[in-house]
């Protein structure tokens, strides 16, 4: 089977061949039709929701500060850890989803008032939620012997792709399938104590010398370091207000209350 991807100028033709399997061909239109059939309604509904939130935000003059989005991302990275969710979405997508989510929460709760005393009490009762520990986004290549690991380091130093080497060589099947990506690991995670120690001496984009682990020898790549931070009541006051208000309202977080305020017309069966 041969597969070809074409990067041409201008708009791609719908008859463009994106894959060839023996004598059979898959055109761009075939591919798009298949994706639309599987995911079309879900994606379209999400896009409509995003536009509804944007329109409602403009109407009610609701904005979300960049600092609040940054804080939510930090919290998510620490909370998601090594789950698949942390590996399936890039940061740009995260920022968009977080902004939409926070704006929708703000819109839904804009008329709910909660006393300063209750907000402060919630913060004190849940203060641990607002303490972010140092977090490392790590990848690894695990080899059976030190000699294999040292040879792999040489290949990496000579320009080989870490992701490709992990897929090809790593004996840790779980992370190998992800190109070695381990996800986000907090500094106190005892399951990864050895590789965290190795990562602490690295800068983003650097990999370690082979490190002895229970599984063999690991080469550790630091993708990102997220510095820990403790947030004050002032930092998270608006977040707490929204959360308490939503619990008080006991309503689903949905764009439905705002859809009647904008003109929506769809040309896709089943949308909305």
């Amino acid at each position: 089977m041969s597969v070809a991807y074409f990067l041409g100028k201008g708009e791609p033709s719908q008859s463009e061949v994106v894959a060839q399997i023996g004598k059979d061909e898959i055109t761009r239109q075939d591919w798009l039709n298949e994706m639309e059939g599987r995911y079309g309604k879900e994606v379209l509904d999400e896009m409509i929701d995003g536009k509804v939130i944007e329109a409602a935000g403009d109407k009610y003059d609701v904005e979300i500060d960049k600092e609040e989005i940054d804080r939510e991302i930090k919290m998510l990275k620490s909370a998601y850890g090594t789950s698949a969710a942390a590996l399936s979405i890039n940061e740009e997508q995260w920022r968009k989803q977080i902004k939409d989510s926070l704006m929708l929460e703000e819109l839904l709760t804009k008329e709910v008032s909660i006393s300063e005393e209750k907000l402060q009490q919630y913060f004190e009762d849940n203060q641990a939620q607002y303490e972010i520990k140092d977090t490392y986004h790590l990848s690894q290549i695990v080899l059976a012997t030190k000699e294999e690991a040292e040879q792999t380091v040489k290949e990496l130093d000579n320009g080989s792709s870490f992701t490709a080497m992990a897929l090809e060589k790593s004996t840790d099947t779980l992370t190998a399938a992800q190109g070695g990506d381990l996800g986000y690991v907090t500094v106190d995670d005892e399951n990864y104590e050895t590789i965290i120690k190795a990562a602490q001496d690295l800068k983003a984009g650097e990999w370690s010398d082979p490190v002895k682990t229970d599984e063999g020898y690991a080469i550790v790549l630091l993708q990102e370091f997220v510095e820990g931070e403790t947030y004050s009541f002032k930092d998270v006051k608006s977040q707490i207000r929204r959360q308490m208000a939503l619990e008080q309202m006991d309503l689903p977080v949905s764009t439905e209350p705002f859809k009647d305020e904008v003109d929506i017309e769809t040309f896709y069966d089943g949308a909305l």
Side-chain angles (χ1 to χ4, degrees):
M1 179 176 73
S2 62
V3 180
Y5 292 91
F6 301 89
L7 298 176
K9 296 181 179 179
E11 291 294 322
S13 168
Q14 299 306 296
S15 61
E16 172 188 11
V17 176
V18 295
Q20 185 168 326
I21 306 90
K23 295 182 179 180
D24 293 329
E25 295 179 342
I26 298 175
T27 67
R28 178 173 295 276
Q29 188 63 57
D30 294 334
W31 179 33
L32 293 175
N33 287 345
E34 184 69 19
M35 287 194 292
E36 181 180 345
R38 293 188 186 188
Y39 313 112
K41 177 185 181 303
E42 179 182 348
V43 173
L44 180 57
D45 286 348
E46 288 177 1
M47 293 174 71
I48 291 171
D49 282 344
K51 293 297 184 182
V52 170
I53 293 169
E54 184 179 328
D58 289 341
K59 178 177 179 179
Y60 294 103
D61 196 25
V62 172
E63 294 184 359
I64 302 298
D65 293 337
K66 177 181 179 297
E67 291 75 14
E68 194 161 6
I69 298 173
D70 291 341
R71 183 172 62 250
E72 287 288 332
I73 286 178
K74 257 195 174 185
M75 290 181 172
L76 283 172
K77 286 177 177 178
S78 178
Y80 270 133
T82 58
S83 70
L87 309 179
S88 63
I89 185 170
N90 62 42
E91 187 161 318
E92 184 179 350
Q93 291 173 309
W94 255 355
R95 298 189 76 86
K96 176 66 168 65
Q97 290 185 6
I98 289 169
K99 182 180 180 180
D100 285 350
S101 178
L102 296 181
M103 185 172 288
L104 179 57
E105 290 178 3
E106 191 68 35
L107 287 163
L108 290 168
T109 62
K110 64 184 185 300
E111 297 178 359
V112 179
S113 178
I114 298 176
S115 70
E116 190 86 0
E117 182 181 0
K118 289 183 178 180
L119 295 174
Q120 181 72 49
Q121 187 61 55
Y122 185 95
F123 174 74
E124 292 174 4
D125 291 344
N126 299 276
Q127 203 158 352
Q129 293 182 22
Y130 310 111
E131 297 176 358
I132 306 301
K133 298 173 182 176
D134 286 351
T135 302
Y136 300 84
H137 185 185
L138 303 175
S139 291
Q140 65 175 359
I141 302 173
V142 181
L143 289 309
T145 68
K146 186 176 182 180
E147 291 73 22
E148 288 177 291
E150 289 175 340
Q151 177 58 37
T152 300
V153 169
K154 289 180 181 178
E155 293 180 48
L156 291 170
D157 290 341
N158 288 330
S160 293
S161 161
F162 195 99
T163 299
M165 297 293 280
L167 286 165
E168 178 185 347
K169 293 190 172 187
S170 184
T171 59
D172 184 80
T173 54
L174 182 62
T175 57
Q178 303 291 340
D181 199 337
L182 190 60
Y184 292 90
V185 180
T186 55
V187 68
D188 60 347
D189 192 328
E190 296 180 356
N191 294 320
Y192 301 102
E193 185 176 353
T194 302
I195 64 172
I196 290 171
K197 185 176 180 180
Q200 289 174 332
D201 296 326
L202 302 174
K203 295 179 181 178
E206 293 181 345
W207 49 80
S208 70
D209 290 328
V211 178
K212 184 70 174 74
T213 69
D214 292 340
E215 290 76 31
Y217 288 85
I219 303 162
V220 182
L221 169 67
L222 176 62
Q223 296 199 42
E224 178 188 8
F225 170 63
V226 181
E227 186 175 3
E229 189 169 354
T230 299
Y231 297 110
S232 67
F233 172 66
K234 182 180 178 181
D235 292 331
V236 297
K237 179 180 174 180
S238 61
Q239 176 183 343
I240 293 172
R241 188 201 68 80
R242 288 194 302 268
Q243 185 172 344
M244 293 184 70
L246 287 169
E247 291 173 358
Q248 180 178 309
M249 294 167 67
D250 193 26
L251 292 173
V253 180
S254 166
T255 59
E256 289 303 319
F258 306 102
K259 285 183 176 177
D260 290 339
E261 300 179 8
V262 293
D263 294 326
I264 302 175
E265 186 175 5
T266 65
F267 308 93
Y268 184 89
D269 291 341
L272 297 176

